[in-house]
Amino acid sequence: MNQIEIERKITKSKNISLTVYQNGRVVLKHPAKISNNQLEDFIADKQNWILNKLQKIPKDIPKNLKFENGETIHIFGESVKIHLNDRKTFYDPMNGFYIKNEKNEILRQKKAKHFLKSLLVNKIEPLVEKFELNLKTKVNKISVRTMRSLWGSCNSKNDISVNLSLVHCPDYIIEYIILHEISHTIEHNHSQNFWNLVKSQNPNFKTAEKWLREHGKKYIYYLN
């Protein structure tokens, strides 16, 4: 399809599928044993559908970061420039995000995300400890990973996952998401009891909810 980049992913499914994500990514999933002609026919048949989906994406949704020189990135709510250098990767809040330039673009992106993950982990670890103590609960495990639609999740084992894109958000949003998920270790639902737990630690939690509704979509897709 002209001028539209379509990623291809091999899956164990027997069917072909197309997904258009909110950050403009178009992904074609298909079984390994299928001819290129069949895939091209499938794409051609879905051309109008893809274009329609892409046209409906809000204009302010950012493209995913390439970690290239001069790009803008938000770190803990502050907008800074990315600078490539030949020495090391580090974050200077006053001057920007410095990334060691790698010959391989994918390796550079991988290492940059790993550094952002370490920044976020350092930010959330004391928050986890605080809310565990205040709410008299225990998180079994916490992990940071990229998610396309969720800021966080908590399963029945009290394993918590948070979205790496939280690294872009202001501190009070990060604190709210951690509180929200740790509250789920006690109430695995969104009942009134759950919201009472959240409110007991953050009486103004609705301010964070409002920010996420109004601005969250501008941040969640950078790293996906």
Side-chain angles (χ1 to χ4, degrees), residues 131 134-137 176 179-189 191-203 205:
F131 291 128
N134 290 355
L135 294 174
K136 295 179 174 59
T137 187
Y176 168 67
L179 168 60
H180 187 110
E181 299 309 330
I182 289 182
S183 296
H184 276 314
T185 65
I186 302 170
E187 293 285 340
H188 290 275
N189 51 56
S191 65
Q192 189 57 53
N193 286 341
F194 168 82
W195 292 114
N196 288 342
L197 285 172
V198 173
K199 190 174 182 179
S200 73
Q201 303 301 307
N202 182 358
F205 73 90

Side-chain angles (χ1 to χ4, degrees), residues 118-165:
S118 68
L119 284 181
L120 184 57
V121 167
N122 289 338
K123 178 78 69 171
I124 66 178
E125 282 183 342
L127 294 173
V128 172
E129 292 176 4
K130 180 178 80 170
F131 291 128
E132 281 182 324
L133 180 64
N134 290 355
L135 294 174
K136 295 179 174 59
T137 187
K138 189 66 180 175
V139 174
N140 181 48
K141 181 176 70 174
I142 188 158
S143 59
V144 176
R145 58 189 180 91
T146 55
M147 304 182 195
R148 293 196 176 98
S149 60
L150 297 175
W151 287 106
S153 65
C154 175
N155 66 21
S156 60
K157 296 179 181 178
N158 290 353
D159 296 330
I160 288 177
S161 295
V162 296
N163 196 326
L164 178 57
S165 288

Side-chain angles (χ1 to χ4, degrees), residues 13-185:
S13 172
K14 296 180 180 180
N15 301 317
I16 308 172
S17 67
L18 263 171
T19 304
V20 178
Y21 293 102
Q22 281 286 296
N23 62 352
R25 290 177 66 222
V26 182
V27 180
L28 175 70
K29 297 179 182 179
H30 61 87
K33 294 183 179 180
I34 193 165
S35 70
N36 283 331
N37 286 339
Q38 285 179 280
L39 293 176
E40 292 300 331
D41 288 344
F42 183 85
I43 293 171
D45 185 57
K46 294 290 185 178
Q47 181 171 353
N48 290 337
W49 179 84
I50 295 171
L51 292 173
N52 185 53
K53 286 285 186 180
L54 290 173
Q55 288 168 1
K56 289 181 178 179
I57 294 175
K59 301 302 180 185
D60 57 353
I61 294 293
K63 298 297 183 182
N64 58 323
L65 281 167
K66 300 295 186 182
F67 295 100
E68 296 175 344
N69 199 54
E71 272 189 312
T72 298
I73 183 173
H74 287 80
I75 298 181
F76 302 139
E78 298 298 325
S79 178
V80 297
K81 288 289 185 182
I82 289 175
H83 308 281
L84 300 184
N85 72 92
D86 296 325
R87 295 177 296 162
K88 62 179 181 178
T89 296
F90 64 97
Y91 172 51
D92 180 345
M94 298 299 295
N95 296 303
F97 183 26
Y98 292 79
I99 301 174
K100 183 180 179 182
N101 197 10
E102 305 283 350
K103 293 181 179 179
N104 185 300
E105 179 182 352
I106 294 176
L107 180 61
R108 184 182 74 241
Q109 293 173 2
K110 182 179 180 180
K111 288 190 174 183
K113 288 183 181 181
H114 181 76
F115 183 85
L116 291 176
K117 181 178 179 179
S118 68
L119 284 181
L120 184 57
V121 167
N122 289 338
K123 178 78 69 171
I124 66 178
E125 282 183 342
L127 294 173
V128 172
E129 292 176 4
K130 180 178 80 170
F131 291 128
E132 281 182 324
L133 180 64
N134 290 355
L135 294 174
K136 295 179 174 59
T137 187
K138 189 66 180 175
V139 174
N140 181 48
K141 181 176 70 174
I142 188 158
S143 59
V144 176
R145 58 189 180 91
T146 55
M147 304 182 195
R148 293 196 176 98
S149 60
L150 297 175
W151 287 106
S153 65
C154 175
N155 66 21
S156 60
K157 296 179 181 178
N158 290 353
D159 296 330
I160 288 177
S161 295
V162 296
N163 196 326
L164 178 57
S165 288
L166 269 179
V167 76
H168 303 309
C169 299
D171 286 357
Y172 79 99
I173 299 299
I174 298 171
E175 183 167 354
Y176 168 67
I177 294 298
I178 298 303
L179 168 60
H180 187 110
E181 299 309 330
I182 289 182
S183 296
H184 276 314
T185 65

